[in-house]
């Protein structure tokens, strides 16, 4: 298949090559999918299996034998432990999820190995999203580190703890690109940008899986939710998705490709529909693109009862029809509904589903078990002795603290008020999160966490103060309600202090699955508390607690210092104290744009321009793309973040102003730490295609580098741009390059920077 460029010159590459090329040039080495073919052993097993046993391998159930913790999902199809064990022995279960504990898992595995006819081992899965016993920052927070290596390290540590507790498979990372901050699951992903999302998706897969899938501490990763869940209309959870094929391919699919290129062997089909076809019955997504174009050889598991939900979607007539549609579209494994067990035997007998389709899915599931060494060692990762040894070790906790501090974003620092001195100032820590230990982990964090590890802010601050007695702590109010006398005590505390630390924002149950919000402001009672505190005239440092971008207003927006502190996990209090007192110089950058107003959502930096962009001149704003009351700008843009030192970026140079078709452009600049303390700067490279056959984003991130510099030190940063970085999806879903002029910026955020331009020359 050849591809025509704008100039008409043939390029000569298949769509698939171009698609993987796009992911590869986002900074990833594209590798062929890991060798993952069914072996003779798998074929021999398959030949002996009854249709009931095949359906069993394709069924995954909540682990009620070692009861799941928490209540993440509605109770559906719950069995008791005895019934479930009997089903395991009958060969009617392929995988169990969300139970933990090595000994009980070992016992259940024994039931499968010694009690079932074909002795096929079980896979043990769980939603281990950002830590296990020790909890790391929510993925969105960690994305603010702009540090894929950090994400790889926290995923590795997560896998080490989780596999020690009898787990093989995590339903993570969530790689959904989320451009609407009303959606609660923004917290679980890497934010609004594709490029950052690709790098973090790949890093997390590498971290979870480690170098050797058969190793006892390797955990299978599941990039989810396939696909476009992040694009639910109006940010409403589970809502329908309406989007163009080009946006699907340019924005929502690339992080999945990056995750597969990094070796992920499973994915999860999403709850939502995409342009009228539910993802869980979407052959175009699950078979044509995933397997056909990308060559994915792994397993597709449905989301929780997503196959059964095809009925509520109005896409399947009944449960039987739902099972048929899901398996024919490409869902190998059914989660929790039990529909495959119930209907596959009859669907195959009646000819509605060919046996070959079922066999292909069973082969994949068995090959997955084989890939992690389960047939040779069914008891891998099920050794109770490892559980204590590999959990919450000092190294893992230190990593949690480091990750927490690196995820914090300094949004504002007038004065500068920060860092705070450790002696000589009386501090008042005010707000519902001041000494709260129940909202440090984030929505998934509480699931398996050892909550005894949670460090609240007050504890973290006191540990670093020369005189811990000079910290006054007053909640003032709860997250959404008042406390009797709370405001009065908080105001008195502020009056008695030199500096106020105001810990306000969202509780963790305002974020995550099924937690969409209509507006993204701080709850009114906390805003009122902030006003009462500001009226004392004391300088205020806002410590924002949140799982999404927040609309800041009034005295909170106008406070002299603001830190985005998200949900940082077990070590939250220590990590925040490290930044407040300057042990760590903040270097996080926003992975989501903070809008001026909730009503701007969906708001993201890389939208396309209109025919009437708002000019900077305030007098020329009539009939322009703006709201009646505000410009359509960010309050704090994607990529933004301050430091305790100052960085100057100068001397931007391009190796050529005329880039030949297959050549590489080098973009360089100098970065200098011209302030007084050591710090890290995240230098960002953006492009814009000035004129194209499709309107293009006003900016697109194409590279970033973290530079660590001592005061006075200077370094050159160097980026490479190739034609493939400049591609986009044109007619008939092909990635195309078009010759023409491109702007390029070396920037501190998505709205500033040194600018230059170059021309991509036609081929030949
Ligand atoms: C979520 C998934 C999760 C599954 C299993 C669903 O409700 O959407 O992300 O993996 O439950 O707990």
């Amino acid at each position: 298949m050849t591809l025509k460029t704008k100039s008409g010159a043939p390029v000569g590459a298949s769509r698939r090559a171009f698609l993987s090329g796009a992911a590869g040039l986002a900074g990833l080495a594209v590798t062929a999918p890991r060798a993952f073919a069914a072996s003779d052993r798998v074929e021999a097993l398959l030949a002996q299996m009854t249709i009931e046993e095949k359906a069993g391998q394709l069924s995954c159930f909540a682990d009620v034998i070692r009861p799941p913790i928490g209540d993440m999902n509605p109770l559906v199809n719950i069995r008791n432990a005895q019934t479930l064990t009997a089903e395991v022995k009958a060969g009617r279960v392929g995988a169990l999820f969300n139970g933990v504990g090595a000994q009980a898992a070992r016992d259940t595995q024994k039931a499968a190995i010694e009690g079932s006819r074909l002795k096929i081992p079980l896979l043990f899965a769980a939603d281990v999203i950002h830590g296990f016993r020790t909890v790391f920052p929510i993925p969105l927070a960690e994305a603010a580190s702009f540090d894929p290596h950090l994400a790889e390290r926290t995923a590795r540590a997560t896998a080490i703890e989780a596999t020690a507790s009898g787990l093989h498979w995590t339903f993570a990372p969530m790689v959904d690109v989320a451009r609407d901050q009303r959606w609660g699951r923004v917290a679980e992903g890497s934010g609004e940008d594709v490029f950052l999302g690709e790098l973090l998706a790949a890093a997390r897969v590498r971290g979870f899986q480690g170098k050797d899938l058969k190793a006892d501490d390797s955990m299978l990763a599941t990039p989810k939710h396939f696909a476009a869940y992040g694009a639910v209309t109006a940010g409403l959870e589970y809502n329908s998705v309406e989007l163009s094929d080009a946006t699907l391919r340019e924005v929502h699919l690339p992080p999945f490709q990056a995750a597969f290129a990094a070796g992920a062997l499973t994915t999860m089909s999403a709850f939502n529909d995409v342009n009228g076809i539910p993802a869980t019955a979407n052959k175009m997504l699950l078979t044509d693109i995933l397997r056909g174009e990308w060559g994915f050889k792994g397993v597709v598991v449905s989301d929780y009862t997503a196959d059964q939900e095809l009925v509520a979607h109005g896409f399947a007539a009944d449960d039987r029809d739902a099972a048929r549609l899901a398996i024919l579209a490409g869902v190998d494994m059914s989660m929790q509904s039990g529909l495959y067990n119930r209907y596959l035997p009859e669907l195959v007998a009646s000819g509605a589903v060919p046996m070959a389709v079922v066999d292909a899915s069973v082969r994949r599931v068995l090959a997955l078990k084989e890939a992690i060494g389960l047939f040779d060692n069914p008891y891998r990762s099920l050794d109770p002795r490892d559980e204590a040894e590999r959990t919450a070790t000092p190294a893992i906790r230190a990593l949690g603290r480091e990750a927490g501090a690196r995820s914090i974003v300094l949004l504002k620092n007038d004065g500068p008020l920060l860092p705070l001195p450790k002696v000589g100032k009386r501090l008042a820590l005010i707000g519902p999160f001041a000494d709260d230990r129940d909202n440090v982990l984030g929505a998934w964090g509480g699931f398996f966490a050892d909550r005894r590890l949670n460090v609240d802010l007050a504890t973290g601050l006191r540990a670093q103060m020369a005189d811990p007695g000079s910290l006054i702590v007053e909640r003032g109010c709860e997250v959404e309600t008042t406390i009797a006398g709370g405001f009065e005590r908080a105001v008195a505390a502020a009056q008695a202090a030199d500096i106020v630390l105001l810990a306000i924002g969202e509780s963790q149950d305002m974020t995550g699955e099924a937690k969409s919000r209509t507006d993204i402001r701080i709850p009114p009672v906390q805003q009122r508390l902030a006003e009462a505190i500001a009226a004392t005239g004391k300088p205020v440092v806002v410590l924002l607690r949140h799982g999404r971008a927040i609309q800041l207003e009034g005295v909170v927006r106008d406070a002299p210092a603001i830190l985005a502190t998200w949900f940082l996990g077990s070590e939250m209090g220590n990590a925040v104290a490290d930044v407040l007192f300057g042990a760590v110089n903040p270097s996080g950058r926003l992975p989501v744009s903070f809008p001026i107003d909730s009503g701007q959502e969906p708001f993201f930096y890389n939208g396309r321009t209109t025919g009437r962009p708002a000019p900077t001149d305030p007098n020329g704003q009539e009939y322009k793309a703006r709201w009646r009351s505000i410009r359509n700008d960010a309050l704090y843009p994607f990529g933004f973040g301050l430091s305790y030192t100052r960085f100057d970026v100068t001397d931007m140079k391009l190796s050529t102003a005329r880039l030949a078709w297959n050549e590489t452009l080098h973009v360089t600049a100098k970065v200098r730490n011209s302030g007084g303390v050591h710090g890290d700067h995240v230098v960002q490279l953006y492009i814009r295609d000035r004129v194209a056959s499709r309107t293009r984003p006003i900016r697109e991130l194409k590279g970033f580098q973290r530079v660590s510099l001592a005061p006075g030190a200077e370094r050159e940063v160097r980026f490479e741009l190739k034609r493939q970085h400049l591609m986009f999806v044109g007619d008939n879903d092909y990635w195309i390059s078009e010759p023409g002029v491109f702007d390029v910026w070396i920037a501190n955020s998505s709205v500033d920077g040194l600018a230059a331009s170059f021309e991509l020359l036609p081929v030949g």
Side-chain angles (χ1 to χ4, degrees), residues 7 14 119 253 318 339 345 350 452 568 579 618 643 656 673 722:
S7 63
S14 71
K119 309 185 186 321
L253 296 186
D318 51 28
L339 292 197
S350 68
R452 291 167 305 178
L568 295 179
V579 167
S643 163
T656 176
N673 180 349
K722 294 179 197 284

Side-chain angles (χ1 to χ4, degrees), residues 73 98 127 171 185 224-225 268 271 303-304 335 513:
N73 278 300
N98 281 355
D127 290 292
F171 296 147
R185 299 195 86 165
K224 67 184 187 186
H225 307 80
M268 185 184 289
F271 285 131
D303 201 340
Y304 192 97
M335 189 198 295
E513 185 173 350

Side-chain angles (χ1 to χ4, degrees), residues 139-334:
L140 183 66
E142 193 181 66
S145 73
F146 271 65
D147 187 349
H149 183 56
L150 179 71
E152 183 171 339
R153 288 163 64 213
T154 60
R156 186 86 290 274
T158 300
I160 287 171
E161 280 193 350
T163 52
S165 192
L167 292 169
H168 306 126
W169 181 14
T170 177
F171 296 147
M174 188 188 99
V175 303
D176 297 315
V177 173
R179 295 171 141 192
D180 193 323
Q181 303 301 311
R182 292 170 295 182
W183 192 46
R185 299 195 86 165
V186 169
E188 290 178 51
S190 298
E192 71 192 40
D193 185 61
V194 187
F195 177 78
L196 183 60
E198 286 175 314
L199 295 192
L200 291 170
R204 288 176 174 141
V205 169
R206 287 195 303 269
F208 285 131
Q209 299 197 158
K211 290 196 167 56
D212 173 10
L213 282 178
K214 292 195 165 69
D216 185 70
D217 64 3
S218 167
M219 196 171 203
L220 288 164
T222 305
K224 67 184 187 186
H225 307 80
F226 199 71
Y229 187 18
V232 285
T233 302
L236 175 65
E237 185 61 301
Y238 313 128
N239 206 2
S240 49
V241 167
E242 196 67 37
L243 88 178
S244 71
D245 286 350
T247 303
L248 174 71
R249 287 173 181 275
E250 284 179 13
V251 176
H252 297 279
L253 296 186
F256 285 95
Q257 283 178 273
F260 298 138
L265 296 178
T266 74
T267 187
M268 185 184 289
S269 70
F271 285 131
N272 54 280
D273 79 8
V274 181
N275 299 331
I277 316 258
T280 298
N282 199 312
K283 183 172 163 299
M284 192 242 329
L285 282 174
L286 298 176
T287 297
D288 301 349
I289 294 180
L290 184 64
R291 300 199 188 280
E293 291 181 22
W294 299 353
F296 178 71
K297 303 263 189 290
V299 170
V300 176
V301 60
S302 78
D303 201 340
Y304 192 97
T305 64
D307 50 357
Q308 194 157 32
E309 292 170 23
L310 297 173
V311 178
H313 269 291
F315 196 77
D318 51 28
D319 285 357
R320 176 185 181 275
D321 199 29
R324 180 183 69 84
L325 287 165
I327 194 152
L328 290 180
V331 174
D332 298 307
M333 195 175 233
S334 158

Side-chain angles (χ1 to χ4, degrees), residues 70-88:
D71 57 352
M72 279 321 284
N73 278 300
L75 300 182
V76 173
N77 203 18
I78 289 296
R79 308 154 150 78
N80 62 39
Q82 253 181 339
T83 320
L84 192 54
T85 308
E87 301 250 303
V88 166

